Amino acid sequence: MTTSANTTPRPSALALLPLLLFLTLFIGAGVYFTLEGADYAFYQLPAHVAILPAVILAIGLSRERLNTAIEQFIRGMGHGDIIAMCLIYLLAGAFSAVADATGGVEATVNLGLTLIPESLILPGLFVIAAFISTAMGTSMGTIAALAPFALNMATATGQAPAVMAGVLLSGAMFGDNLSFISDTTIAATRSQGCSMRDKFKENVGIAIPAAVAAIILFVFNNQSAPVDAPKSINYLAVLPYLSIIVLALAGLNVFVVLTAGIALALCVGLMSTPDFTLLTFSQEVKAGFASMQEIFVLSLMIGGIAELMRCQGGLSFLTQAVNRVIARFEKKRGSHHSRASEFGIALLVSFSNLCTANNTVAIVVSGQVAKNIASEHSVPAKRSASLLDIFSCVVQGLIPYGAQILLLGASFGLSPLVIVSHSYYCFFLAASALIAVISRRWWQARRA
């Protein structure tokens, strides 16, 4: 019998094997080539090639007819969030290429060198990224806009590119978690039935301590070399980047923001760069699109596998497993011990995110189950919404096959695992959330 998108499939641990196979091949090959001393070890076996055996396995595990399994895979590839990410990839690549060709990157870096003290490059980038991502409501848009600037700032100031990428990721995930217009915020509040303001108040008490800890670490980790102040700045070439910031603060859609940035970069190029023509512009856009080919394909494949795992019961298996853990803990500690249910909600959305590689989809998938758990164990709706958003963003900022880290890897030319190791804010956010859950008196005071 065919499993529809609205039915709950029978739980099956076997359905998780494709994800395990992909991670084994991708990470295993990267570790092997690292030990062998190969350059760009994690690019020896490209991720979008390593995932192909997992796709074949996922289709092969389906109990449906081959055509039906393929249809499920294609449906997952065509999920709205997956397509949106892929379009952001393309626009980000085009903007980066055009802005670079028109001198925008160099000009913006020079401006940054004059505004941000050498001793505050890292915390300055974190605050800027956090501010923009909160305004835009998207970590992907923030990374797409700031990655070229951050990479060139790293080169100009002597910062390690991997650290710079981690700082940018940290700031982007801060806003992704807290923004009122973030997809994760909308999904979490709608699924749990609470207001965005209540969720924000619950969430900010956990996020701010993590952000402060990250900023302190960035201050002490700042290792920039002395840099001569630029003699001149082409302010006209800076306009595309400034326009992105202004439009983001105005709350415009990320697609509008990036498209406007590309159009303004074109105008700047035609006015200030003698050899920049419409034909040059078209070639740069083409190059920008091509630079995102790998993560474009990989994101589509991950979306397809996630849908197959859902249809085959992989996500249902995770839900069932989490409910069993909660039941056992409650039985030992007492039926009013809500910490178990809070940990259960955190585990549920975390595992869902590991399987779907999309924090919004993970919240949508686990939202109803989380609401049932919260209702049964007297967890306030604002509390469960906050936990869903926090832990989905934590996992999204730590998985090497997540869209944000893949985009950073492509922009900086770094291994995704290297970037993950510098995702300091996500580590601090996880620790802050776990401490808050464990602290019974704190939560009792919040509920009072």
Side-chain angles (χ1 to χ4, degrees), residues 384-405:
S384 58
S386 178
L387 291 172
L388 283 175
D389 203 341
I390 287 173
F391 282 95
S392 68
C393 286
V394 165
V395 173
Q396 190 68 25
L398 294 176
I399 52 176
Y401 51 95
Q404 290 82 354
I405 295 172

Side-chain angles (χ1 to χ4, degrees), residues 18-88:
L19 179 64
L20 180 61
L21 175 61
F22 165 60
L23 295 179
T24 301
L25 290 174
F26 177 56
I27 298 178
V31 171
Y32 170 78
F33 286 112
T34 299
L35 296 176
E36 290 292 312
D39 294 331
Y40 303 103
F42 280 84
Y43 287 90
Q44 298 298 316
L45 178 61
H48 65 303
V49 175
I51 201 171
L52 293 178
V55 172
I56 296 172
L57 177 60
I59 293 176
L61 288 174
S62 177
R63 296 182 179 180
E64 310 289 351
R65 293 180 301 175
L66 179 60
N67 287 345
T68 301
I70 293 175
E71 287 174 3
Q72 292 171 345
F73 177 72
I74 294 174
R75 184 170 68 231
M77 294 174 67
H79 189 282
D81 286 329
I82 299 297
I83 297 301
M85 282 193 303
C86 289
L87 291 176
I88 290 175

Side-chain angles (χ1 to χ4, degrees), residues 288-311:
F289 285 173
S291 68
M292 296 295 162
Q293 176 183 341
E294 290 189 14
I295 56 173
F296 188 99
V297 173
L298 180 60
S299 295
L300 290 175
M301 297 292 185
I302 288 176
I305 287 181
E307 177 63 12
L308 283 171
M309 288 193 300
R310 187 198 69 80
C311 292

Side-chain angles (χ1 to χ4, degrees), residues 10 43 106 119-120 158-159 161 176 178 198 227 241 324 378 425 435:
R10 180 180 301 175
Y43 287 90
E106 180 182 358
S119 60
L120 297 176
Q159 291 289 342
D176 198 334
L178 279 180
D198 286 343
V227 180
Y241 281 100
R324 276 202 294 262
S378 301
Y425 171 72
I435 290 172

